[in-house]
Amino acid sequence: MAKTKELSKDTRNKIVDLHQVGKTESAIGKQLGLKKSTVGAIIRKWKTYKTTDNLPRSGAPRKISPRGVKMITRTVSKNPRTTRGDLVNDLQRAGTKVTKPTISNTLRRQGLKSCSARRVPLLKPVHVQARLKFAREHLDDPDEDWENVIWSDETKIELFGKNSTRRVWRTKNAELHPKNTIPTVKHGGGNIMLWGCFSAKGPGRLIRVKERMNGAMYREILSENLLPSARALKMKRGWVFQHDNDPKHTARATKEWLRKKHFKVLEWPSQSPDLNPIENLWRELKVRVAQRQPQNITALEEICMEE
């Protein structure tokens, strides 16, 4: 049955006024173009409650009892990867039959919503301490210092890759809690490998690495692309180069090459790709490339360079 339109307050008050001057329900209905039953309902409400305003509605009772709400909230707090199906089964064993949407609505009222688990580096205690030390050392650095950094990294881009996701129940601003994330290791597969750099002033060069990269190849990439990028970006004197602690980057020969070139290198904590803002650039690049749907490796490389 279609839902009828609610009468305006003015119309309801007019019904009461006409009733008070002695008009019948039928006459009022004809005058205002309303059904007699509608007029009668408004008059009865006015006689009972002395108002024509909408009264508080009780609504349907909750399907899940307060005890059941506590149970499923406690379950997802202990294990955020619990599925709605698991919770439906738990409640059914307790004697309550509900649907998955009811589970979602109930947990949402408790401040929990289903989200894709964030992927973060797999950290050991030593990594956690190194990252904390880095953060404390740079906590008060002025913006100008960060604007004078060239950030660099390598990344792999898949041709037809799909990133798997897992959903977790979490509260607002808890996306990085260890229980709500998926640990990852860097470079988890793909079709082409890229090296790139950027600063606050814009992107530097982007090149494809066609062979397995070793220390010698990495130094060659820096020799041919880092300084030209710095010049193109018009970096100030004393600019700082950032790269992570990949063995190619920290090899003795690479360190010596950087020292001879008088490059100032930012000390970097291990297992910290998520601290490098170039990861946001890679993410944007991968999203744009995926939208263009390259069909082969040649097209994939061309689109990466264009984007």
Side-chain angles (χ1 to χ4, degrees):
M1 180 183 288
K3 194 173 181 180
T4 57
K5 188 176 180 181
E6 188 177 82
L7 296 180
S8 68
K9 185 172 177 61
D10 287 344
T11 302
R12 284 176 275 169
N13 290 339
K14 189 174 286 186
I15 290 173
V16 173
D17 291 341
L18 293 172
H19 168 72
Q20 287 181 313
V21 297
K23 289 209 170 187
T24 64
E25 294 178 2
S26 297
I28 295 172
K30 286 181 181 178
Q31 182 175 335
L32 300 179
L34 300 172
K35 293 181 180 178
K36 180 182 175 182
S37 58
T38 302
V39 173
I42 297 296
I43 293 172
R44 285 193 298 276
K45 177 193 265 190
W46 177 78
K47 286 181 177 179
T48 304
Y49 301 105
K50 299 303 179 186
T51 181
T52 61
D53 292 341
N54 289 326
L55 301 174
R57 295 180 172 93
S58 61
R62 302 282 191 208
K63 290 224 173 166
I64 305 178
S65 67
R67 184 178 179 183
V69 172
K70 285 183 180 179
M71 182 185 79
I72 64 174
T73 302
R74 186 167 56 246
T75 299
V76 299
S77 295
K78 288 182 179 178
N79 181 14
R81 292 186 173 88
T82 304
T83 66
R84 292 186 302 172
D86 293 336
L87 297 174
V88 166
N89 293 335
D90 289 346
L91 286 171
Q92 193 163 3
R93 283 192 290 271
T96 302
K97 189 173 182 180
V98 295
T99 62
K100 291 179 180 179
T102 299
I103 294 290
S104 298
N105 294 334
T106 301
L107 290 176
R108 195 175 294 114
R109 285 193 292 270
Q110 302 304 308
L112 297 161
K113 66 176 182 177
S114 179
C115 309
S116 297
R118 293 286 185 92
R119 293 179 177 271
V120 299
L122 181 60
L123 300 177
K124 297 178 181 178
V126 65
H127 298 140
V128 174
Q129 291 303 315
R131 287 158 61 95
L132 187 58
K133 178 175 178 286
F134 175 84
R136 285 172 173 161
E137 287 175 351
H138 295 282
L139 186 62
D140 298 319
D141 288 3
D143 292 348
E144 293 76 20
D145 286 3
W146 296 114
E147 291 170 0
N148 211 31
V149 177
I150 289 184
W151 308 87
S152 73
D153 196 16
E154 298 90 39
T155 192
K156 286 185 178 180
I157 298 190
E158 301 173 350
L159 184 58
F160 302 111
K162 288 185 179 179
N163 292 324
S164 62
T165 60
R166 295 185 68 173
R167 304 193 74 81
V168 294
W169 294 99
R170 64 169 175 82
T171 55
K172 188 178 180 181
N173 298 326
E175 66 271 18
L176 294 179
H177 190 282
K179 291 196 299 185
N180 300 329
T181 60
I182 298 175
T184 64
V185 293
K186 213 174 177 187
H187 304 324
N191 293 85
I192 68 171
M193 186 173 185
L194 301 172
W195 176 91
C197 64
F198 91 111
S199 78
K201 297 180 180 180
R205 291 190 175 183
L206 179 71
I207 65 164
R208 180 184 172 188
V209 182
K210 294 187 177 181
E211 301 174 19
R212 185 178 180 85
M213 186 187 287
N214 55 26
M217 183 185 295
Y218 179 64
R219 292 189 291 277
E220 184 179 339
I221 288 172
L222 295 184
S223 178
E224 295 177 357
N225 298 279
L226 182 54
L227 268 179
S229 294
R231 293 192 192 102
L233 293 169
K234 298 180 180 178
M235 301 297 292
K236 296 178 182 178
R237 277 187 74 179
W239 57 270
V240 178
F241 174 56
Q242 180 277 338
H243 61 179
D244 59 28
N245 294 313
D246 185 282
K248 299 182 292 291
H249 304 169
T250 58
R252 183 180 299 175
T254 301
K255 287 183 176 180
E256 183 63 19
W257 183 87
L258 290 166
R259 187 187 64 78
K260 286 182 177 179
K261 294 291 183 180
H262 305 290
F263 288 143
K264 192 175 179 181
V265 179
L266 181 66
E267 188 176 347
W268 195 250
S270 297
Q271 278 293 92
S272 300
D274 56 324
L275 297 186
N276 189 346
I278 203 171
E279 293 299 326
N280 300 306
L281 194 61
W282 291 145
R283 171 64 180 168
E284 180 70 18
L285 176 63
K286 290 173 183 179
V287 168
R288 293 191 184 192
V289 169
Q291 288 172 345
R292 294 181 60 177
Q293 299 182 335
Q295 297 300 305
N296 54 59
I297 294 296
T298 302
L300 178 62
E301 181 179 355
E302 289 175 355
I303 290 172
C304 284
M305 300 303 169
E306 289 171 9
E307 292 296 339

